[in-house]
Amino acid sequence: MRNPATGVVVATVPRTTAAETDAAIDRAARAYGSWRRVAPADRARLLRRFAAVVDAHVEELAELEVRNAGHTIGNARWEAGNVRDVLDYYAGAPERLTGAQIPVPGGLDVTFHEPLGVVGVIVPWNFPMPIAAWGFAPALAAGNTVLLKPAELTPLTAIRLGELAREAGLPPDVLTVLPGRGGVVGEAFVAHPAVRKICFTGSTEVGTRIMAGCAAQVKRLTLELGGKSANLVFADADLERAAATAPYAVFDNAGQDCCARSRILVQRQVYDRFLELLEPAVKAFRVEDPALETAEMGPLISAGRRESVASYLDGAEIAFTGGCPEGPGFWYAPTVLLARSPAERHWREEIFGPVVSVLPFDDETEAVTLANDTEYGLSGSIWTRDVGRAIRVARGVEAGNLSVNSHSSVRYWTPFGGMKRSGLGRELGPDALHAFTDVKNVFLATDPPREEYGDDQ
């Protein structure tokens, strides 16, 4: 593993083989039989203990993520804290996983939420810690065992979380971390019949292949895939605030974020003024050693990612750029491009880097049309002082997560997921637990059969 800020090797991690993966799946399947029978209060207690152990190691995990993924230390602390908070949130779930009593004639009808079995969680390199917790916390709370495959580029914090789970008292093989290649470990998750569900976060291309593989076994699947989110700025908006916050909406984590607002749509009458306000905000954005407390953006994850991002600037009109360090590491300066039409490649494709495109629009109808003119539908922002417009546009934009006068996308209390090719299913929030269960209906006859009607069918 290389530190993205320096390019220096910081760790060597053995890859899990196909045979080791199959053996781990078999062990998780055996552990499931006992884990699902753990009393709800005891399962909740173990998850709270896991959260407490993570809390005691937040700084260690954050410093490890700086080396592991190049995240700024401030972001990394938030991410480690999010793991703790998500575990705490779902620690309350086992005792509240209630079914229903449904009125029926002739008896009592009740439903149960039964765990699925073994769940495979496949995590990307851009947010290794929180996305892992979004999968394993509700899955464990519901009574499933979990196999966690971190990305090949960023396995270190996942491995450490696995160690902390055991330290907290989770039984063996209830949460297992399997670093390795997607074509080996991930493919085994798809092919093995004992794995009953997969949670995958990553590219749309890989997600569609996983979906096709799961279809052969009717295997349950949650997908969180790509994004090309729009940031809509209307003429009546607080332009100063909209421009000041726009860099954080796209350059956070060096733009390596499916929720990045990488398309800014600005109403034409304030287009020039918005760009005047945006330029100093971009130039002031602090790109520096992610270990520094003052850092707002670190490096890209790899040299290959840097080359991919740079390719989008060929023939594009650059409005202005920020600065970044020179020398070792995979650095890239924040960049603002002017879109001459919505057909341009940098406007349409997910760049996954610190590059944002700006395009004017005339009215509300055109704004919604341009925002929806994409195969993605994950997130977005709407800037306006008009509450009616905010509601109309929010209902019109095809995205799973929208914020008005804000750029927030993820709150662990609320559902998160995409529309169109941005994904399938929802993570987080109170209902995520149900995605890791099957509903079982049970009818108990209480009345003797009535001859004139016969037994209920």
Side-chain angles (χ1 to χ4, degrees), residues 103-182:
V104 297
L108 174 70
D109 197 278
V110 295
T111 62
F112 299 91
H113 289 279
E114 303 284 13
L116 300 173
V118 180
V119 173
V121 178
I122 303 174
V123 177
W125 49 259
N126 60 330
F127 291 103
M129 278 195 290
I131 292 178
W134 301 353
F136 68 64
L140 293 171
N144 304 279
T145 54
V146 176
L147 300 167
L148 173 63
K149 194 205 92 64
E152 294 173 47
L153 292 173
T154 55
L156 300 183
T157 45
I159 292 171
R160 185 62 181 133
L161 285 172
E163 294 168 349
L164 295 179
R166 290 299 305 278
E167 183 179 321
L170 264 69
D173 303 314
V174 166
L175 174 61
T176 306
V177 180
L178 300 174
R181 292 189 181 277

Side-chain angles (χ1 to χ4, degrees), residues 250-317:
V250 68
F251 302 143
D252 181 64
N253 198 27
Q256 300 166 131
D257 182 352
C258 298
C259 292
R261 275 68 164 169
S262 55
R263 294 183 300 150
I264 303 180
L265 288 156
V266 185
Q267 199 155 17
R268 196 175 300 276
Q269 57 262 50
V270 296
Y271 176 79
D272 291 337
R273 177 57 179 157
F274 180 83
L275 288 174
E276 289 174 0
L277 294 168
L278 181 62
E279 183 171 6
V282 170
K283 291 186 180 298
F285 204 74
R286 292 190 297 273
V287 184
E288 55 191 358
D289 180 351
L292 296 174
E293 297 286 344
T294 54
E296 293 180 308
M297 179 180 130
L300 291 165
I301 190 66
S302 67
R305 177 103 305 271
R306 184 172 58 187
E307 291 172 8
S308 175
V309 171
S311 72
Y312 284 89
L313 272 64
D314 293 343
E317 184 178 352

Side-chain angles (χ1 to χ4, degrees), residues 189-255:
F189 289 0
V190 173
H192 202 296
V195 178
R196 305 300 297 276
K197 172 169 179 153
I198 292 177
C199 297
F200 172 80
T201 302
S203 72
T204 300
E205 178 186 3
V206 175
T208 54
R209 292 205 304 268
I210 290 175
M211 188 173 183
C214 288
Q217 298 183 35
V218 197
K219 185 172 294 190
R220 285 156 183 77
L221 182 65
T222 296
L223 296 173
E224 197 273 279
L225 307 176
K228 189 70 175 174
S229 299
N231 180 6
L232 284 71
V233 182
F234 287 90
D236 69 334
D238 181 341
L239 290 184
E240 286 76 13
R241 185 168 167 231
T245 58
Y248 298 91
V250 68
F251 302 143
D252 181 64
N253 198 27

